[in-house]
Amino acid sequence: MLKIGLDAMGGDFAPEAAVKGAVMALNELGADSHIVLFGDEAQIKAILAAENCNSDKIEIVHTTEVIEMGDHPAKAFQQKPNSSITVGFGYLAKGLIHGFASAGSTGAMMVGSMFAVKPIEGVIRPTISTVVPNIKGEPLMLLDVGLNVDCKPEVLCQYGLIGSIFAESALGIKNPRVALLNIGEEEAKGNAQSQAAYALMKAEAEKGKFNFVGNVESSYMFTGKIADVVVCDGFVGNTILKMVEGFYQINTRMGLTNPFWAAMNYENVGGTPVLGVNAPVTIGHGKSTPLAIKNMILSTERTISSNVTSKMQEAFKA
């Protein structure tokens, strides 16, 4: 049985959005997949009753505390031991659930990732990534998108391997093309960080670690012609992600719709996986709707089923 943990108390519209999203996900989950909701049992049961849901594929773990967005993440994780996030990570660390997702405090989710399940041995810095479409409707993976705003070349190089493993395992892209985001395609382009990262990634590619195709300019990212995985530091990645979100909102307000822009909707993405830690963790947008929660659950299920974590552990052990 595959168990997906969900923080029912996380997000701006919790617990309603979280529980309703879980109900929506039931029809698309695998036959052996169950959802474990962490949160106030009475509130969760009331929402399930209102949704006419009595599925045996939903379990509830009662918690009495909530880590609020304004709480200090590290202090709250320790000072609120019966919070939905803290208890959820406790279950994840013990193997009682196989993955954990939340639209709650990003800081607390990262504290749990780093100190409850911990980074994979050999990983310098875990990363958060996002998957967006290219113009062909194919998945494009971007990492980092906000966890590490400053990255040493060695970290960027590791992102190439991490991204390659995820793209091949979870997204089904055979021998994914990994590119380094830069201001030009030539090897000597960019600042000292970019040039050093290029040299390291080229060397790893020559060892057969991943398929490094060189630099990619931002204007070519979404064409699908150059790369399947784009590596950058978290400052740049987060800037690109928010710019894309802004363009989506502008297009929507102007009434301009097409499959490419529709796929940019955060609700369809669901959440961003934390990669490089010892268990599947997914972080959702604070304003997540039931649709976004549903897709976050399905994304977490896909990450669990593809055995991404064990594949990364093996890669870094080697």
Side-chain angles (χ1 to χ4, degrees):
M1 182 187 299
L2 187 154
K3 292 192 174 185
I4 305 161
L6 176 67
D7 171 18
M9 311 308 290
D12 296 345
F13 309 113
E16 288 82 7
V19 178
K20 289 179 180 179
V23 173
M24 290 172 64
L26 289 175
N27 292 330
E28 298 182 41
L29 285 174
D32 293 329
S33 295
H34 286 59
I35 299 172
V36 181
L37 297 175
F38 294 87
D40 185 281
E41 186 173 12
Q43 293 187 60
I44 292 172
K45 284 185 173 180
I47 299 167
L48 289 174
E51 294 293 308
N52 296 313
C53 177
N54 58 0
S55 173
D56 59 2
K57 297 187 72 172
I58 290 183
E59 304 172 28
I60 301 172
V61 175
H62 179 60
T63 62
T64 59
E65 297 174 303
V66 178
I67 296 180
E68 306 289 351
M69 292 296 186
D71 289 342
H72 187 283
K75 291 181 180 178
F77 197 89
Q78 293 180 328
Q79 294 172 356
K80 294 183 175 181
N82 203 33
S83 69
S84 50
I85 288 180
T86 306
V87 174
F89 269 107
Y91 270 61
L92 185 62
K94 294 175 183 176
L96 299 176
I97 56 175
H98 302 98
F100 184 56
S102 173
S105 167
T106 298
M109 288 295 288
M110 288 312 306
V111 170
S113 298
M114 296 297 288
F115 297 102
V117 296
K118 302 178 181 180
I120 291 170
E121 186 175 355
V123 171
I124 302 171
R125 286 189 181 182
T127 177
I128 52 176
S129 64
T130 192
V131 178
V132 293
N134 61 32
I135 196 65
K136 298 178 181 179
E138 302 163 336
L140 170 72
M141 185 177 182
L142 178 67
L143 71 164
D144 185 80
V145 292
L147 181 56
N148 300 303
V149 294
D150 292 306
C151 294
K152 293 181 179 179
E154 293 83 0
V155 173
L156 293 174
C157 184
Q158 284 196 350
Y159 287 172
L161 177 58
I162 290 171
S164 178
I165 294 171
F166 185 88
E168 186 157 13
S169 302
L171 304 181
I173 303 173
K174 187 176 181 180
N175 195 30
R177 299 163 298 171
V178 178
L180 180 66
L181 189 61
N182 207 331
I183 60 173
E185 295 183 6
E186 297 85 358
E187 184 171 347
K189 284 286 187 176
N191 55 18
Q193 175 206 44
S194 299
Q195 292 179 27
Y198 188 107
L200 291 174
M201 295 174 79
K202 182 179 179 181
E204 291 297 282
E206 290 172 351
K207 298 175 185 176
K209 295 295 181 68
F210 53 86
N211 179 20
F212 180 56
V213 295
N215 292 322
V216 62
E217 296 180 30
S218 57
S219 57
Y220 292 102
M221 274 182 58
F222 300 102
T223 63
K225 294 180 180 180
I226 297 176
D228 304 300
V229 176
V230 176
V231 171
C232 59
D233 63 47
F235 183 91
V236 173
N238 192 266
T239 300
I240 290 175
L241 184 61
K242 287 178 178 175
M243 182 182 70
V244 169
E245 289 177 351
F247 277 129
Y248 168 76
Q249 293 170 4
I250 291 170
N251 275 270
T252 301
R253 290 169 186 167
M254 294 177 66
L256 304 174
T257 59
N258 58 54
F260 174 75
W261 284 112
M264 290 291 185
N265 182 358
Y266 84 93
E267 292 177 296
N268 296 325
V269 175
T272 58
V274 180
L275 302 177
V277 295
N278 285 302
V281 176
T282 310
I283 300 174
H285 205 300
K287 63 179 182 180
S288 287
T289 62
L291 176 60
I293 296 292
K294 181 201 83 168
N295 285 318
M296 181 169 65
I297 293 169
L298 297 176
S299 174
T300 306
E301 180 190 40
R302 184 168 60 249
T303 302
I304 297 167
S305 300
S306 60
N307 295 317
V308 169
T309 301
S310 62
K311 290 175 183 178
M312 288 187 187
Q313 290 168 336
E314 287 298 318
F316 280 93
K317 188 181 295 182

